[in-house]
Amino acid sequence: MSTPPFIEWLPELHASGPVATKSLLIAASIVTIYKIVGHALREYLIIPRTTILKDIDSLHMPREGEKIPGRAVVCGGSIAGILAAAVCADHFESVLVIEAETWTNEHGTELPKIEDRVHRTTSSGYQTATAPRTRVMQYYFSNFFQPPVYRAFTRLFPNIPRIIKELNLGSAVLGARLRMCFGGIDLPDPDPSEEGIADGSITACLSREATEVVLRKAIRESRPNVTFKTGTVSGFLKDGPGLAGVTVRVNGAEEQVQGDFVVDAAGPSQMSYSKWLSHAGFSVPSDLRLEYDAILRYTATTWTIPPHLHSKWPAPWGFKCGLVYTMSCDAESGDPKVLGFTLVENNQ
């Protein structure tokens, strides 16, 4: 039987006296302190300040005591507006979402069929689909959600996995098959046999169209205190020193909508806060509005892959949803361009 290596050097360590033992203990202490300090910095400083991971668990928590009396008004009914309304609904007695596009409020919980899309011919001779959401130019573009985003969605809306299944979008929800770690928090792969995947490391490949339908259906089913109104917000109302609501343009006429808390989720057509607050009689500081330019530009094209090409799809897992190929240029050369292909629902 061979002698374990550490048994062989123990006599030498003992013979070298207390100096070697002390050095070994110091080294072990340094490593231990390094790991403890690193863990503490990561858990209590870096992750809370630079990621959303610690914030996810606070979503949709039961409120202590009664809800805030009054109504929250959310301007805009797309993804940002739906998420804002869900958060407000957990704290306010009622929430009103004002969306400018009639189609969204009337058919926004239905997933249209691809064959029912209306196409037009561009000036260059190309056929392009006309989106029912005229204010969302990226309506048919694909989204690849990282696991923290999907975790946040399912935290706000526990009914999302069921809705995705009912809409036949289950193939777009993927387990993160690689060992993934975000900000030091390990996200283990889910058990494929489990029905409840909300707490697993999940990614999702859904178009903007499908994402909106899923979220809008989820909030209508889970938040009975959220209502929707079609109209365009055109100004603020003031009552004494405080905000009293907004004015809404509906079919050419102005209406007053009372509200105790207002959220702007109107996207690129954001409300003119400075102008409207001034007109309502509020004192507006010069630095009220801040803008951030990420210097990020992108273009996307959507195709429907015909059945005879499914077997030729160049991915090791076959013709399944996922990020199938990405090419990026040499960052050191100063060229930041990236090219990627994502397969989402309905063979797009």
Side-chain angles (χ1 to χ4, degrees), residues 13-35:
L13 178 63
H14 179 72
S16 61
V19 175
T21 303
K22 184 177 181 180
S23 299
L24 183 61
L25 292 175
I26 292 175
S29 299
I30 291 175
V31 172
T32 302
I33 293 174
Y34 173 80
K35 289 187 175 183

Side-chain angles (χ1 to χ4, degrees), residues 150 158 160-162 165 173 190-200 202:
Y150 188 82
I160 274 186
R162 175 183 56 78
K165 189 175 182 179
V173 179
D191 184 347
S193 64
E194 292 182 0
E195 288 294 333
I197 57 176
D199 295 328
I202 302 296

Side-chain angles (χ1 to χ4, degrees), residues 43-340:
E43 288 292 316
Y44 301 105
L45 182 63
I46 298 176
I47 292 177
R49 291 191 177 185
T50 62
T51 76
I52 66 172
L53 296 176
K54 295 295 185 182
D55 300 318
I56 292 176
D57 292 337
S58 64
L59 294 173
H60 200 32
M61 290 288 290
R63 180 178 176 83
E64 296 182 2
E66 299 293 329
K67 289 187 176 182
I68 301 172
R71 177 166 64 180
V73 177
V74 178
C75 307
S78 293
I79 293 178
I82 294 172
L83 298 178
V87 173
C88 289
D90 292 334
H91 299 277
F92 285 87
E93 288 182 344
S94 66
V95 178
L96 175 65
V97 179
I98 302 175
E99 166 58 42
E101 298 192 71
T102 304
W103 182 91
T104 302
N105 290 333
E106 294 182 352
H107 305 285
T109 59
E110 307 166 7
L111 189 60
K113 297 180 180 179
I114 294 180
E115 53 267 28
D116 293 338
R117 290 178 180 173
V118 178
H119 293 76
R120 66 179 179 84
T121 303
T122 66
S123 57
S124 302
Y126 292 100
Q127 288 287 317
T128 182
T130 302
R133 295 293 313 277
T134 58
R135 297 191 175 199
V136 182
M137 61 183 299
Q138 73 276 26
Y139 189 66
Y140 290 128
F141 292 1
S142 62
N143 295 312
F144 186 83
F145 297 113
Q146 296 187 34
V149 176
Y150 188 82
R151 285 179 58 190
F153 283 175
T154 52
R155 179 72 185 182
L156 274 175
F157 306 108
N159 56 340
I160 274 186
R162 175 183 56 78
I163 291 174
I164 287 177
K165 189 175 182 179
E166 291 177 352
L167 294 173
N168 295 319
L169 298 174
S171 61
V173 179
L174 315 172
R177 296 307 170 196
L178 296 177
R179 181 175 177 81
M180 305 191 74
C181 186
F182 285 84
I185 295 180
D186 183 38
L187 301 179
D189 287 348
D191 184 347
S193 64
E194 292 182 0
E195 288 294 333
I197 57 176
D199 295 328
S201 178
I202 302 296
T203 57
C205 295
L206 292 171
S207 65
R208 169 64 183 258
E209 176 187 35
T211 303
E212 281 200 21
V213 170
V214 169
L215 294 178
R216 192 170 290 111
K217 191 174 179 63
I219 193 172
R220 286 181 179 271
E221 291 184 4
S222 63
R223 305 298 200 283
N225 60 332
V226 176
T227 56
F228 295 82
K229 181 181 180 66
T230 301
T232 303
V233 178
S234 55
F236 289 123
L237 298 175
K238 185 181 180 183
D239 182 13
L243 187 68
V246 296
T247 57
V248 183
R249 187 164 53 252
V250 181
N251 297 325
E254 293 283 342
E255 298 182 7
Q256 293 188 352
V257 175
Q258 301 300 314
D260 303 282
F261 185 75
V262 179
V263 178
D264 173 20
S269 58
Q270 288 180 342
M271 303 185 300
S272 179
Y273 271 113
S274 300
K275 179 179 177 181
W276 290 354
L277 286 172
S278 297
H279 286 177
F282 291 99
S283 177
V284 181
S286 59
D287 59 347
L288 175 64
R289 179 166 181 164
L290 299 177
E291 296 183 356
Y292 171 71
D293 185 0
I295 318 179
L296 176 65
R297 308 291 183 268
Y298 72 92
T299 183
T301 303
T302 303
W303 297 279
T304 300
I305 310 300
H308 71 276
L309 292 178
H310 292 187
S311 61
K312 300 180 180 180
W313 191 248
W317 52 83
F319 192 74
K320 296 179 181 179
C321 291
L323 186 62
V324 297
Y325 181 68
T326 301
M327 180 183 69
S328 58
C329 298
D330 185 3
E332 295 183 357
S333 67
D335 190 349
K337 296 184 181 66
V338 176
L339 175 65

